[in-house]
Amino acid sequence: MRKIQIQIFLLFFIGFQTSFAQQPQKPNSVEIYNQIKKLNFLGSVLYVAAHPDDENTRMISYLANEMNARTGYLSLTRGDGGQNLIGPQLRELLGVIRTQELIEARKIDGGEQFFSRANDFGFSKNPDETLDIWDKDKVLADVVWTIRKFQPDIIINRFDHRSPGTTHGHHTSSAMLSVESFKLTNDPKVYPEQLQYVTPWQVKRQFFNPSWWFYGSQEKFDAANKSKFTKLETGVYYTGIGKSNQEIAALSRSRHQSQGFGSTGVRGEETEYLELINGENPKERDNLFDGIDTTWNRVKNGKPVGDLITSIISKYDFSNPSAGIPDLVRTYSMIEALEDTHWKTIKSAAIKNIIASCSGLYLEAVSNEQEATPGSTIRLSLEAINRCSVDMQLASVTTLPDNKTTVQNSVLKNNNDQRINLQLQLPNNIEYTQPYWLKEKATVGMYTVSNQENIGIPDIIRNVKVVFNVKINGVEIPFERTVVYKYNDGVKGEMYNFLDIVPEVTTSILEKVLIFRDTKSKMIPVKVRAGKDDVKGNLQLELPKSWNVSPKEIPFVLDKKGNEQIFYFEVTPPVNPEEVVAKSIAVVDNKRFDKDQTIIDFSHITKQMVLKPAESKCIRIDLKTSGDAIAYIMGAGDEVPESLTQMGYKVSILKPEEITPEKLDSFSTVITGIRAYNTVSALANKQNILFNFVKGGKNMIVQYNTNGKLVTDKIAPYPLKLSNDRVTEENAKITFLAPNHPVLNTPNKISSKDFEGWTQEQGLYYPNEYDPAFTPIISSHDKGESAKDGALLVAPYGKGYYIYTGLSFFRELPEGVSGAYRLLSNIISLKQPIEAPKQDIKQ
């Protein structure tokens, strides 16, 4: 993993040509030319906001590609608290996905990515709550750290620090912390522990980037006085690649697939505005860097470097970029001789990539396997080819982390592919591959990262690399390549992954929540997976003494790496209700292995491996159920069906085309998954069938949807209007509005205790207008707000019940919240004591 200070996105618009996230980039002549132009601009901008997808990609693309500024985006969180439209992953696993989506977005728009340690704990209504749950001082320290490390001339805030309570508390907090940092970053007394790695730095000016959204409408924004704003015309058309700045920004924003932010590119004039918050306004209002030296003159002895690069640009041969290599190599040597460490590091990395691109120098280090264990030996296949007439020599190669250098002294002739086979001995203490911010125990509001130098690094830190030391025109230049694994897919062709360092064995309790409704024992499946050949040991399932586990251990033998086997333990719960954590442990050669390996593999991001404790929550619960077969219609993706199965229900996932009267006849309840009416367009034509299902004496439970882009405005058989109402305080006091209603009494007696231990939020997007046929069941509210009564609405319809709920069952059930199971059981169990009057379907 390259260090954050040299992580430069050097390839101009490289993301356009990438089908798969891990493939190496091969820039064309126009892209190389723009890399060289960027080499001669020494100005930087840091854009600051709270979440992945908060960033203004049009602004970032304009700054990076039209102005050639080094442009970074500091997202205070990794988006762990959002919803997921492409899979069931939530919380930290969703944060891993959204991290990678941001990295891919930056590859497209030309920016760089940074994070703080702040954990996205979910929606927050004001910055006071946000900064209380976050550790404000630590997040502020991370903002100061990023600024000192990145050294931006300019900071742009996405959100307004003066408007608390008008938007997500995380949003306002990001702006408040950014503004507070302006006067702190240059003070050596502020976070002095950082100064062994970075130096104090003073930003020149700081802006707020307003848009119509902050004014309430486009009309109000158009009418606002913007005479004091800096104005940037960002609707640029890049003739070299045939795309507008907005089209590039749309491609970048469309990387946020988990949040459903696919965007269509537009063309034509467009203006962005910036309101000065700190520092002095540029005298030339359309020149963001006015008064800031962005030439090589800002670096001691840098002027000759700038002059030479200017000459290279003027003589650039689009038909033969390699003609500039002699001057580029001279420039590299001059940069390496500079005293300045900041721009020297950045531009040295940049020019090495330019030299490789101009010459067609292709260097690659491929492992013969995708996974390896600490202490093992991996075989590497190295490739080196020079595809130009400039003389080159591969002097040596150095493998990392063993730091072993192998002398080559081989001439790299034009278009003569050279292959080298090496072995690399991995250290016994090499760390497993995983997101570094998930290694240590986190709090609700903060990730723990003990190593100061790692804070802010966007990606997994990968240490297995090969350095190719290549002599070009007599100058030896080191080119570092991360070791990859690649293979050929019969359909997709050449495929890349990174090499992952894995434990010798991983285990997984297949059910993450285990429900015991009585004292009967259950057979619990535990999977064991080999990380290397010939693994043998004993598998154990650890539970407190009040729980009985049989057998105490199970021997296992796995001959081949990647082999898996499932074993079963009989678990008997105690008599009284209890919630405990079960841990699966594999003991191999007296070493305990307690990690569960999770693979996240989507085509738009780099494949990810996450190692978490191999644990499961076991709940001995006082839970009664009635009803049997449930049809579940998936929406955006959740794990509720698995939880229903744990409760003892027979659950069938129903595709939209399977929603027919005949198919539904065998079910007692239909449940729609989260945001089904936002994401499943076919439901618009299935409402008659579903409402008739209810009318015939069955139950329909609709989980939360957002109030925008519904596939039909008739999601219920009675009028029902969704709002933005939500209760974010998971422990907000519950008032029972209908205490005698069956949903609170049968078959489980629900009390306020059942709402204890909820996570992240009570619920979201509650209806605030609904027909009198609905009975509101509960009421709660966040501090300082009015009561929200739409969390659970129950309406008889025909002989059955239609239920709408914004309660966050999709979060609570996978977390093993007992009360959520009990309440959902009651909802499913609803039955009318007598036949209701016949009613017509209201469409």
Side-chain angles (χ1 to χ4, degrees):
M1 173 67 190
R2 291 166 293 176
K3 286 193 174 182
I4 195 168
Q5 64 264 34
I6 63 171
Q7 186 182 1
I8 309 299
F9 293 96
L10 297 161
L11 304 184
F12 189 70
F13 307 143
I14 56 176
F16 305 154
Q17 305 158 7
T18 307
S19 299
F20 307 103
Q22 303 92 332
Q23 288 186 344
Q25 307 305 322
K26 301 161 188 174
N28 61 40
S29 183
V30 172
E31 294 166 347
I32 296 170
Y33 176 71
N34 283 285
Q35 292 175 30
I36 299 173
K37 285 176 60 181
K38 192 161 188 164
L39 191 65
N40 220 19
F41 189 93
L42 279 69
S44 53
V45 182
L46 184 64
Y47 202 89
V48 180
H51 309 108
D53 71 45
D54 282 347
E55 78 274 25
N56 183 345
T57 54
R58 299 183 186 195
M59 178 69 79
I60 290 175
S61 176
Y62 176 82
L63 294 169
N65 301 313
E66 174 63 15
M67 300 191 73
N68 289 316
R70 185 183 181 216
T71 307
Y73 173 44
L74 170 59
S75 174
L76 293 193
T77 77
R78 296 176 183 266
D80 328 79
Q83 283 81 52
N84 185 0
L85 295 184
I86 61 174
Q89 298 87 358
L90 293 174
R91 293 299 304 140
E92 67 271 14
L93 295 183
L94 177 58
V96 170
I97 292 172
R98 297 187 73 185
T99 292
Q100 292 301 312
E101 289 177 337
L102 269 183
I103 290 170
E104 294 303 318
R106 298 294 80 78
K107 290 179 183 178
I108 292 172
D109 59 36
E112 302 177 46
Q113 188 58 53
F114 308 99
F115 294 97
S116 81
R117 290 170 291 176
N119 192 334
D120 178 3
F121 56 83
F123 191 84
S124 176
K125 293 180 178 177
N126 61 75
D128 290 339
E129 178 195 44
T130 297
L131 296 174
D132 183 49
I133 296 175
W134 289 351
D135 185 325
K136 178 190 173 183
D137 186 66
K138 288 181 179 178
V139 182
L140 179 61
D142 292 353
V143 175
V144 170
W145 165 259
T146 302
I147 293 169
R148 286 172 169 174
K149 203 166 188 180
F150 187 71
Q151 295 189 10
D153 300 301
I154 297 164
I155 287 178
I156 300 175
N157 297 335
R158 167 78 283 190
F159 299 104
D160 188 354
H161 66 289
R162 300 158 297 191
S163 56
T166 60
T167 181
H168 197 318
H170 297 182
H171 293 168
T172 310
S173 295
S174 71
M176 292 170 65
L177 293 173
S178 177
V179 170
E180 186 173 350
S181 72
F182 188 85
K183 296 180 180 179
L184 301 179
T185 54
N186 202 33
D187 186 345
K189 296 179 182 178
V190 174
Y191 306 118
E193 69 278 3
Q194 297 178 1
L195 300 183
Q196 59 181 307
Y197 310 105
V198 293
T199 58
W201 177 256
Q202 183 58 60
V203 177
K204 306 299 188 300
R205 52 182 66 120
Q206 185 177 48
F207 296 96
F208 161 51
N209 179 202
S211 71
W212 70 264
W213 188 85
F214 297 96
Y215 285 76
S217 69
Q218 185 66 52
E219 292 74 20
K220 291 181 179 179
F221 185 52
D222 291 341
N225 180 6
K226 297 185 281 290
S227 61
K228 295 183 178 181
F229 289 2
T230 294
K231 185 171 70 172
L232 302 177
E233 299 300 335
T234 57
V236 180
Y237 175 66
Y238 298 107
T239 57
I241 59 149
K243 284 185 172 65
S244 70
N245 188 64
Q246 300 99 311
E247 288 172 316
I248 295 164
L251 290 169
S252 171
R253 191 153 184 79
S254 295
R255 291 297 86 191
H256 296 296
Q257 293 184 16
S258 67
Q259 302 301 292
F261 279 114
S263 182
T264 299
V266 297
R267 292 143 292 280
E269 295 180 350
E270 184 174 73
T271 304
E272 288 283 349
Y273 294 93
L274 298 174
E275 178 188 358
L276 187 73
I277 300 298
N278 278 306
E280 293 184 0
N281 253 321
K283 294 179 180 178
E284 297 179 18
R285 287 299 175 84
D286 60 348
N287 181 3
L288 196 61
F289 285 91
D290 181 51
I292 299 173
D293 189 355
T294 59
T295 72
W296 278 93
N297 293 338
R298 75 185 296 173
V299 175
K300 182 180 179 181
N301 299 323
K303 186 177 184 304
V305 177
D307 292 341
L308 183 52
I309 295 172
T310 300
S311 174
I312 294 169
I313 293 171
S314 67
K315 295 186 295 183
Y316 184 77
D317 186 347
F318 284 88
S319 64
N320 181 23
S322 65
I325 289 177
D327 282 342
L328 286 168
V329 172
R330 283 180 55 209
T331 305
Y332 168 77
S333 296
M334 293 168 67
I335 292 173
E336 285 294 292
L338 294 173
E339 295 179 22
D340 178 283
T341 56
H342 179 71
W343 286 109
K344 172 183 175 179
T345 302
I346 295 166
K347 298 302 183 180
S348 177
I351 197 167
K352 286 195 290 184
N353 281 274
I354 293 169
I355 291 169
S357 299
C358 284
S359 62
L361 178 62
Y362 186 82
L363 304 168
E364 187 174 67
V366 178
S367 169
N368 71 320
E369 52 193 335
Q370 203 261 310
E371 295 181 347
T373 55
S376 64
T377 300
I378 58 174
R379 298 195 301 275
L380 298 180
S381 175
L382 311 186
E383 180 181 3
I385 182 170
N386 165 29
R387 289 173 286 185
C388 74
S389 59
V390 175
D391 291 338
M392 294 189 190
Q393 183 184 38
L394 180 60
S396 63
V397 294
T398 302
T399 52
L400 301 174
D402 63 347
N403 205 30
K404 179 181 178 182
T405 298
T406 304
V407 175
Q408 299 295 319
N409 289 330
S410 57
V411 176
L412 296 178
K413 298 179 181 179
N414 185 9
N415 213 34
N416 183 3
D417 200 8
Q418 293 200 22
R419 305 276 180 158
I420 304 165
N421 294 319
L422 288 178
Q423 288 190 337
L424 191 159
Q425 177 73 41
L426 296 174
N428 290 320
N429 62 349
I430 190 171
E431 293 190 347
Y432 301 136
T433 302
Q434 60 177 319
Y436 70 89
W437 61 95
L438 298 180
K439 285 170 52 181
E440 302 176 71
K441 187 175 179 61
T443 66
V444 172
M446 296 294 295
Y447 286 118
T448 301
V449 181
S450 299
N451 187 336
Q452 177 68 49
E453 291 184 282
N454 289 349
I455 293 173
I457 293 176
D459 208 351
I460 288 173
I461 299 172
R462 300 181 186 273
N463 296 314
V464 185
K465 304 176 184 179
V466 172
V467 179
F468 295 80
N469 300 299
V470 181
K471 284 187 178 179
I472 306 175
N473 280 6
V475 177
E476 187 169 305
I477 303 175
F479 295 90
E480 186 178 275
R481 298 292 183 265
T482 301
V483 172
V484 297
Y485 169 77
K486 69 177 183 178
Y487 62 96
N488 185 71
D489 182 276
V491 175
K492 299 177 181 178
E494 187 177 57
M495 300 291 291
Y496 280 78
N497 284 312
F498 286 108
L499 170 70
D500 287 335
I501 309 302
V502 303
E504 293 179 21
V505 62
T506 54
T507 69
S508 176
I509 305 173
L510 297 186
E511 299 292 345
K512 298 310 174 189
V513 177
L514 295 160
I515 300 295
F516 294 81
R517 296 163 50 193
D518 49 38
T519 57
K520 292 180 181 178
S521 62
K522 284 189 176 184
M523 301 303 293
I524 307 303
V526 179
K527 182 176 69 176
V528 181
R529 183 180 187 274
K532 67 175 186 177
D533 293 342
D534 300 321
V535 176
K536 61 181 179 180
N538 291 300
L539 180 65
Q540 301 171 358
L541 185 64
E542 294 185 351
L543 277 159
K545 292 181 179 180
S546 55
W547 296 66
N548 186 59
V549 180
S550 178
K552 296 301 181 184
E553 61 181 25
I554 302 174
F556 65 87
V557 177
L558 298 172
D559 296 332
K560 297 293 183 182
K561 178 168 67 174
N563 281 2
E564 298 177 348
Q565 193 169 352
I566 296 176
F567 300 93
Y568 290 85
F569 291 89
E570 184 178 11
V571 174
T572 305
V575 174
N576 297 320
E578 187 177 2
E579 296 183 6
V580 298
V581 174
K583 300 179 180 181
S584 57
I585 309 291
V587 180
V588 178
D589 295 331
N590 294 320
K591 292 191 294 184
R592 289 166 56 92
F593 293 90
D594 61 353
K595 298 300 182 186
D596 182 352
Q597 182 189 54
T598 298
I599 301 297
I600 300 174
D601 196 4
F602 294 99
S603 61
H604 70 299
I605 60 174
T606 298
K607 179 181 176 183
Q608 301 292 291
M609 182 180 78
V610 179
L611 296 175
K612 299 170 64 178
E615 297 178 349
S616 178
K617 191 171 185 179
C618 292
I619 306 174
R620 169 66 176 94
I621 183 175
D622 179 14
L623 174 66
K624 301 178 181 66
T625 62
S626 66
D628 187 12
I630 294 175
Y632 200 90
I633 303 168
M634 293 300 296
D638 58 62
E639 296 179 335
V640 173
E642 291 87 339
S643 300
L644 292 167
T645 300
Q646 275 291 316
M647 294 169 71
Y649 295 108
K650 296 178 182 177
V651 182
S652 298
I653 305 297
L654 221 58
K655 297 178 181 178
E657 60 269 22
E658 296 177 314
I659 302 174
T660 65
E662 295 76 18
K663 187 75 172 180
L664 291 177
D665 188 58
S666 60
F667 299 101
S668 62
T669 302
V670 166
I671 302 178
T672 61
I674 62 171
R675 298 187 67 177
Y677 286 97
N678 298 125
T679 60
V680 184
S681 56
L683 282 178
N685 300 316
K686 298 294 183 177
Q687 295 298 82
N688 253 335
I689 297 172
L690 292 169
F691 294 159
N692 280 329
F693 171 81
V694 179
K695 186 178 180 181
K698 309 293 184 69
N699 291 341
M700 180 178 180
I701 303 169
V702 177
Q703 296 182 82
Y704 100 93
N705 296 271
T706 63
N707 57 4
K709 298 182 180 179
L710 290 165
V711 300
T712 175
D713 58 356
K714 297 177 180 177
I715 63 174
Y718 305 106
L720 180 78
K721 185 176 180 180
L722 304 182
S723 73
N724 289 320
D725 288 352
R726 62 204 302 161
V727 178
T728 62
E729 296 171 17
E730 56 268 38
N731 296 317
K733 181 182 177 181
I734 293 288
T735 299
F736 294 122
L737 301 175
N740 297 322
H741 196 284
V743 80
L744 294 177
N745 294 279
T746 306
N748 304 287
K749 179 66 176 178
I750 302 300
S751 70
S752 58
K753 186 176 180 180
D754 288 294
F755 288 89
E756 295 177 1
W758 284 51
T759 64
Q760 186 161 323
E761 61 205 352
Q762 277 189 4
L764 59 172
Y765 294 101
Y766 295 167
N768 64 346
E769 296 180 24
Y770 41 86
D771 192 88
F774 285 103
T775 299
I777 303 299
I778 63 174
S779 177
S780 65
H781 60 87
D782 289 331
K783 292 176 183 176
E785 294 194 355
S786 60
K788 305 295 185 290
D789 299 344
L792 178 59
L793 302 175
V794 180
Y797 185 75
K799 297 179 181 179
Y801 280 102
Y802 175 95
I803 302 98
Y804 188 93
T805 180
L807 292 172
S808 58
F809 287 111
F810 73 104
R811 294 197 190 279
E812 312 313 323
L813 299 177
E815 291 295 324
V817 178
S818 298
Y821 282 91
R822 287 163 45 82
L823 179 57
L824 183 57
S825 173
N826 282 16
I827 297 172
I828 295 170
S829 301
L830 280 171
K831 292 180 181 178
Q832 292 190 34
I834 58 174
E835 182 175 346
K838 292 184 178 180
Q839 299 169 327
D840 293 327
I841 296 174
K842 297 184 180 182
Q843 290 294 314

